Amino acid sequence: ELLIYLVVLDCNRIMERSLILVGGGGHCKSVIEAAESAGYTIKGILDISSRVGEKVLDYTIIGTDDDIFLYTEDCDFIVTLGFIKDASLRIHLHDKIEKAGGHLATVIASTAHISRYAKLGEGTVVLHQACINAGARVGKGCIINTFANIEHDTVIGDYCHISTGVMVNGDCKVGKNSFIGSHSVLINGIAICDKVIISADSFIRKNILKAGVYINN
């Protein structure tokens, strides 16, 4: 698993290489805002063929994911498709980018706080006002949404979506391909297995050992 120390994030690479966004829906707008705030130049968006030529905010849909190979030399990529029922389509797009020789960016909004002792995987997006505290590890291709808090020594697996306002307390472990709904709270030391979906406003006080959908308490 590739992990990146944010303290040595190469700012020159950000300025020299433009971003290609893959997925032009609502989540794309949030990523655009974060990327602009972090100093990225956005070259364009890839989406389905029927949308080519449309704009998302100020940026044009310039092709489809079959065109990824056209931009691998000069651009980095970020998947801007949200977590739709599961992470499978996001994983498919990440794999397609990597097989084409593309490099996945890690986008961190200017107002997010990332401890210099935290680690992030490539392809992860951290949106505005999110906090990732000391000793935390966030895997590849994750979405850490607006106002989410990842506390000390917590491990977030690959391709998770930690939604708006979620509080993941210290020493938790969230398995890969999981979704934690808005304003949910995980108490200290909770372990969640892979492929778990937790509804909004849930309070998680026990370990979750079986994949599935969990609601409220």
Side-chain angles (χ1 to χ4, degrees):
E1 178 179 331
L2 177 60
L3 294 169
I4 301 170
Y5 279 101
L6 295 176
V7 70
V8 294
L9 184 65
D10 187 352
C11 294
N12 289 328
R13 184 182 178 90
I14 289 176
M15 301 310 295
E16 290 171 2
R17 290 174 65 88
S18 298
L19 270 185
I20 294 289
L21 311 182
V22 185
H27 179 61
C28 181
K29 296 177 181 179
S30 296
V31 178
I32 286 171
E33 168 61 31
E36 286 182 339
S37 76
Y40 280 98
T41 298
I42 299 171
K43 185 176 183 68
I45 302 164
L46 304 180
D47 203 283
I48 59 175
S49 58
S50 62
R51 295 192 64 200
V52 172
E54 292 182 20
K55 282 202 164 186
V56 179
L57 302 181
D58 292 334
Y59 301 98
T60 303
I61 297 174
I62 57 177
T64 73
D65 55 293
D66 289 331
D67 300 317
I68 287 168
F69 73 96
L70 297 174
Y71 303 101
T72 55
E73 290 296 321
D74 302 315
C75 299
D76 292 337
F77 295 83
I78 194 78
V79 173
T80 48
L81 182 77
F83 190 108
I84 302 171
K85 295 186 178 179
D86 59 43
S88 58
L89 188 50
R90 287 177 53 79
I91 293 169
H92 169 73
L93 291 171
H94 274 246
D95 289 345
K96 197 164 187 176
I97 291 165
E98 291 178 330
K99 287 176 182 176
H103 176 266
L104 291 162
T106 302
V107 174
I108 303 157
S110 60
T111 60
H113 173 76
I114 315 295
S115 168
R116 70 187 184 94
Y117 302 105
K119 299 178 182 180
L120 292 187
E122 62 178 4
T124 283
V125 176
V126 184
L127 297 181
H128 282 290
Q129 302 294 336
C131 177
I132 300 176
N133 226 324
R137 290 186 292 149
V138 176
K140 177 180 180 178
C142 292
I143 300 168
I144 309 299
N145 219 318
T146 310
F147 283 106
N149 184 74
I150 311 298
E151 260 304 331
H152 66 85
D153 302 307
T154 280
V155 177
I156 306 294
D158 294 344
Y159 299 108
C160 287
H161 184 163
I162 309 301
S163 197
T164 49
V166 169
M167 180 70 68
V168 183
N169 282 293
D171 294 304
C172 288
K173 291 180 174 59
V174 178
K176 63 184 180 180
N177 306 348
S178 292
F179 177 92
I180 313 296
S182 296
H183 295 286
S184 293
V185 176
L186 278 65
I187 67 168
N188 283 38
I190 287 295
I192 291 174
C193 67
D194 298 347
K195 297 184 179 180
V196 165
I197 294 177
I198 294 173
S199 72
D201 292 315
S202 294
F203 187 85
I204 308 302
R205 66 186 80 202
K206 295 181 180 180
N207 295 339
I208 296 177
L209 305 178
K210 184 178 178 180
V213 178
Y214 294 82
I215 299 172
N216 298 328
N217 295 319

